Amino acid sequence: MTSLFAPLDWLWLLLFTLLMVVCGVFFYRLGKRSQSDFFLAGRGLPWWLPASSVYATHTATDTPIWIGGVIYKYGLAGLWYTFFCAWAAVSAFVSARIFRRSLAYSQAEWQSLRFGGLGSEMLRGWVAGWQVFMNMFILGWVGIAMGKLCNVFFGWPLWVGLVTFSSVCVIYVLAAGYWGVVMADFQQGVIAFIMITMVSAWGVAAAGGPRTIVKRLQGMNSSCTWTVPEVREPVATGCVRVKDAATEEVLASCQGSFVVVPRGEMSPQGPANQRAKAALYEEAAPGQVLYPAVNDTVCAGEAINIVWAPQRARRLVKVEASLDGGLTWQTVEQSHYQGQRWRLNPLSFTGMFRGQFPVAWFITMLVVALLGGFGMGTSIDWYTEAQRIQSARTVRDASYSIWAGTLATLIRNAMWAVAVLGFFVLFPHIAAQKDYEMSWYIIGFKYLPVGMVGFFFAGILAIHLSTISTHLNLGAMYATRDFYHHYVNPQASERRLVWVGRIATLVVLGGSFVFGLIIGEEITAWLIFALWIMAAGVWLPNILQVIWWRFNSWGYLSAWVANLGLSWLVVWVLPRFGVIPELPDYLQFWSLIVLNALIYVPVTLLTKPEDMDHLVKYYVMSRPIGFWGPVKREALRRGLL
């Protein structure tokens, strides 16, 4: 791939790298003045600067990999997987305002303002430690995503992409702190938006334009992914049938049998995905399974596409396969749509509880996204956005920054989605997830002309560095403000705190390299683990701590501890030993919500409420919404409101 780089491509890369480093040097004098400047840019930014930082930070190297994967697999309905950021539409005018009024540097510091006593101190230490760990972890998976990208397109070892670009980024983070981060984010956000728009438009044009994409999707045959099971015999006899999901009527079947060989043996017809691609566009009478068909050979362990000629496009079907000539059958897909037209419909539900996009999952995502805006920490994105909220010069600027930054993120997701649909029309036969996850990058490297590829890669560096710089500075803030300054040296001078912040930045960087090498190429699995499972049990407590005065530090702390254990049990341990079946994502979420509530609600009610003096002080400063009647009445009685 490097051979495709023309001198103009290298020039783009050189100019971009110099721009970022010079930016850090330019703002060095501002960043070194105080802890507030190094971590919050002095709390004086107009709304559009933190807004651009919100957008740039949430556009990372792994983001197009993730979005490319869900859109390729689920069509436009996959956009709902990215809808969790809609919580910011509510958060911008609820929790963002409450948090900005508190003047806390970090979420850990806010815990000590909201709660009091020993529980408060334990919570601050816990949240600070968790955030130092999480920022290293996030840096690790984002860094290794860059390593994977460089490995695929340049053939570099994974560690080279992981270490090289993060090491460049740390130069301007060390020099200027948050001033360097937010100013670089503004430039990187502009570059990234131009690049995303350009490459997405190029991808749609390569597929023939919007009308051609729609027309080809409407005319393609049906398909579903199947990972061929292991076989004991040297040669097994396979066949496939497609049934009506409601009536069990057979709608399509193989006109004979195909051959299944053990893992590792090659098909004499050549790559299976090329056979599947031809079948997807083949004109055939309804009722035929086109691939795998008579005389085809498939290999055990291989991910392939089963292709058949549909009868009615919107009919839901059940796909079954047999490896013993039709004596026994296993279900490959339930409630699967016919044809490919469903990919154009963002509401292509496959039933209330079954299929790849059930209504229950859709409702769960809406609840998580919208109600989450009333809490703090209900999304992993909250912690980075909390820093941007506090860096805004007013409460209004803080609200506008979150709202506008998230709007730009949703527009970006839509552009990616259309480009990935175009990619599906060009390459509808890819069955392995790790291959189609790279769809948007493939569009850029494959279809952009020489001379623009360098700009494309500079844009990739922009989205990478914006995320890396944010989490380096954020992790260092928790280590400096909530550990060193709060527990070790409360009398430290501003100069010393800035230097401690720089040392902490290097420690976080080193930790991220370790996590990146541990994660390796299993990015998606680790991402789901961190984003979803580890947060499900504390999602509701994160809302309760904002809206309910009676919720105390012991209840919140017990929710965190219980969630760590319950998430492992429900998701991995109990299904592994057959105690419970493997649950779909939405059932895991609701199960963890209920099980965790059985622990933290009694703990809250059986322990004392927070001290009223402490609550009144917090209420007067932050003006929270929700169930704060007793505290508000006490504040009024004291003449504080």
Side-chain angles (χ1 to χ4, degrees):
M1 185 62 72
T2 49
S3 62
L4 296 179
F5 270 45
L8 182 58
D9 297 315
W10 291 113
L11 180 63
W12 284 120
L13 282 180
L14 180 63
L15 289 175
F16 175 77
T17 305
L18 284 175
L19 181 66
M20 293 304 104
V21 175
V22 169
C23 175
V25 175
F26 186 79
F27 289 98
Y28 168 73
R29 294 183 60 187
L30 293 179
K32 73 174 185 177
R33 292 185 304 192
S34 66
Q35 180 183 203
S36 173
D37 279 295
F38 195 77
F39 292 123
L40 296 176
R43 300 184 196 263
L45 299 179
W47 67 270
W48 50 272
L49 269 175
S52 63
S53 185
V54 167
Y55 167 74
T57 297
H58 296 323
T59 309
T61 328
D62 64 317
T63 318
I65 293 176
W66 177 49
I67 293 180
V70 296
I71 299 298
Y72 192 95
K73 184 174 183 179
Y74 302 114
L76 290 183
L79 273 175
W80 293 108
Y81 284 81
T82 71
F83 192 65
F84 70 91
C85 59
W87 67 270
V90 177
S91 174
F93 300 100
V94 181
S95 52
R97 298 172 74 86
I98 297 169
F99 185 74
R100 180 63 180 83
R101 292 190 194 109
S102 75
L103 298 180
Y105 270 63
S106 65
Q107 183 63 29
E109 185 173 349
W110 182 86
Q111 305 293 157
S112 65
L113 299 176
R114 166 63 178 85
F115 304 114
L118 176 62
S120 162
E121 289 299 321
M122 293 176 67
L123 266 179
R124 183 167 184 171
W126 167 259
V127 174
W130 177 254
Q131 279 306 300
V132 172
F133 162 78
M134 278 304 295
N135 280 288
M136 288 182 183
F137 185 72
I138 293 168
L139 286 165
W141 92 49
V142 173
I144 205 64
M146 190 64 174
K148 182 180 177 182
L149 186 69
C150 293
N151 176 264
V152 170
F153 292 107
F154 302 111
W156 299 349
L158 283 177
W159 69 268
V160 174
L162 168 69
V163 172
T164 303
F165 302 108
S166 297
S167 299
V168 171
C169 180
V170 81
I171 295 173
Y172 66 84
V173 179
L174 284 174
Y178 186 72
W179 274 108
V181 172
V182 77
M183 290 302 177
D185 274 358
F186 176 71
Q187 302 165 52
Q188 289 160 354
V190 172
I191 293 171
F193 200 87
I194 293 172
M195 181 266 294
I196 290 169
T197 305
M198 181 182 72
V199 176
S200 298
W202 224 284
V204 171
R211 289 185 179 179
T212 302
I213 291 173
V214 171
K215 186 177 179 181
R216 298 192 76 176
L217 284 173
Q218 291 174 337
M220 289 168 65
N221 290 314
S222 306
S223 66
C224 73
T225 303
W226 180 40
T227 300
V228 182
E230 297 292 342
V231 291
R232 295 180 179 178
E233 302 82 4
V235 176
T237 303
C239 49
V240 169
R241 67 186 181 190
V242 180
K243 301 164 70 174
D244 186 300
T247 66
E248 296 283 318
E249 174 193 0
V250 176
L251 304 175
S253 61
C254 290
Q255 302 303 306
S257 59
F258 56 87
V259 174
V260 183
V261 296
R263 180 190 292 267
E265 294 194 15
M266 299 296 294
S267 166
Q269 290 93 29
N273 57 11
Q274 292 301 326
R275 291 270 300 117
K277 182 177 183 180
L280 277 161
Y281 287 110
E282 185 178 330
E283 291 187 10
Q288 295 185 49
V289 172
L290 304 173
Y291 183 80
V294 179
N295 297 327
D296 281 327
T297 300
V298 299
C299 178
E302 183 183 23
I304 67 168
N305 273 305
I306 296 172
V307 183
W308 69 95
Q311 289 184 341
R312 282 169 33 199
R314 287 193 59 80
R315 197 171 198 172
L316 290 173
V317 298
K318 179 180 179 183
V319 183
E320 295 178 331
S322 171
L323 296 179
D324 55 10
L327 296 176
T328 58
W329 296 88
Q330 63 173 264
T331 301
V332 177
E333 282 281 1
Q334 291 196 68
S335 302
H336 190 77
Y337 268 118
Q338 297 264 55
Q340 305 293 342
R341 185 180 297 176
W342 59 271
R343 295 180 184 277
L344 298 167
N345 182 6
L347 297 175
S348 54
F349 299 116
T350 52
M352 189 63 199
F353 300 105
R354 295 195 304 177
Q356 66 177 17
F357 190 54
V359 174
W361 178 223
F362 174 71
I363 292 174
T364 300
M365 285 190 282
L366 285 185
V367 169
V368 171
L370 298 179
L371 290 186
F374 289 91
M376 295 181 188
T378 51
S379 162
I380 197 170
D381 294 337
W382 166 261
Y383 297 93
T384 55
E385 292 179 6
Q387 188 182 24
R388 276 128 196 87
I389 290 167
Q390 289 297 353
S391 69
R393 63 187 174 190
T394 66
V395 173
R396 178 174 294 183
D397 283 284
S399 295
Y400 288 174
S401 68
I402 298 303
W403 190 87
T406 306
L407 177 63
T409 303
L410 289 172
I411 293 172
R412 175 209 69 188
N413 293 348
M415 289 194 291
W416 269 336
V418 175
V420 174
L421 277 186
F423 180 84
F424 179 84
V425 168
L426 292 167
F427 305 96
H429 55 293
I430 303 174
Q433 182 174 343
K434 66 181 180 63
D435 293 331
Y436 61 69
E437 281 181 339
M438 303 300 288
S439 56
W440 188 76
Y441 288 116
I442 293 173
I443 290 172
F445 282 115
K446 189 176 179 66
Y447 292 103
L448 285 179
V450 174
M452 294 305 296
V453 175
F455 183 76
F456 176 55
F457 193 70
I460 294 172
L461 277 186
I463 64 177
H464 179 66
L465 297 186
S466 62
T467 305
I468 295 294
S469 62
T470 288
H471 288 284
L472 282 174
N473 186 254
L474 185 63
M477 182 175 77
Y478 279 96
T480 305
R481 177 74 179 178
D482 296 299
F483 277 127
Y484 180 79
H485 195 201
H486 185 66
Y487 293 114
V488 179
N489 189 358
Q491 306 304 321
S493 66
E494 292 296 319
R495 179 183 174 86
R496 176 178 285 271
L497 289 171
V498 170
W499 274 107
V500 171
R502 288 179 173 141
I503 294 169
T505 302
L506 289 174
V507 172
V508 172
L509 178 70
S512 75
F513 292 155
V514 174
F515 279 112
L517 294 174
I518 292 172
I519 292 170
E521 295 190 71
E522 300 294 331
I523 296 172
T524 303
W526 283 96
L527 190 67
I528 292 172
F529 169 75
L531 291 182
W532 182 251
I533 304 307
M534 299 299 289
V538 290
W539 178 82
L540 186 55
N542 280 327
I543 297 174
L544 293 176
Q545 67 173 344
V546 175
I547 66 169
W548 187 29
W549 75 277
R550 183 60 180 81
F551 194 59
N552 63 18
S553 57
W554 300 112
Y556 189 61
L557 199 57
S558 65
W560 262 106
V561 175
N563 180 62
L564 290 177
L566 289 171
S567 59
W568 281 97
L569 283 174
V570 171
V571 179
W572 283 286
V573 178
L574 297 182
R576 179 72 179 272
F577 290 97
V579 179
I580 61 174
E582 189 170 332
L583 302 174
D585 290 344
Y586 67 88
L587 273 184
Q588 289 176 355
F589 176 80
W590 291 114
S591 300
L592 288 171
I593 289 282
V594 172
L595 291 173
N596 230 27
L598 294 176
I599 295 173
Y600 68 75
V601 170
V603 170
T604 300
L605 297 177
L606 292 173
T607 50
K608 291 182 179 178
E610 299 294 338
D611 178 71
M612 185 55 78
D613 290 341
H614 187 90
L615 289 175
V616 168
K617 183 179 178 182
Y618 166 76
Y619 185 86
V620 172
M621 174 178 281
S622 301
R623 306 292 179 89
I625 66 167
F627 307 99
W628 287 84
V631 182
K632 182 179 180 181
R633 286 193 290 274
E634 180 63 19
L636 287 170
R637 190 186 67 78
R638 298 183 185 188
L640 297 175
L641 292 177

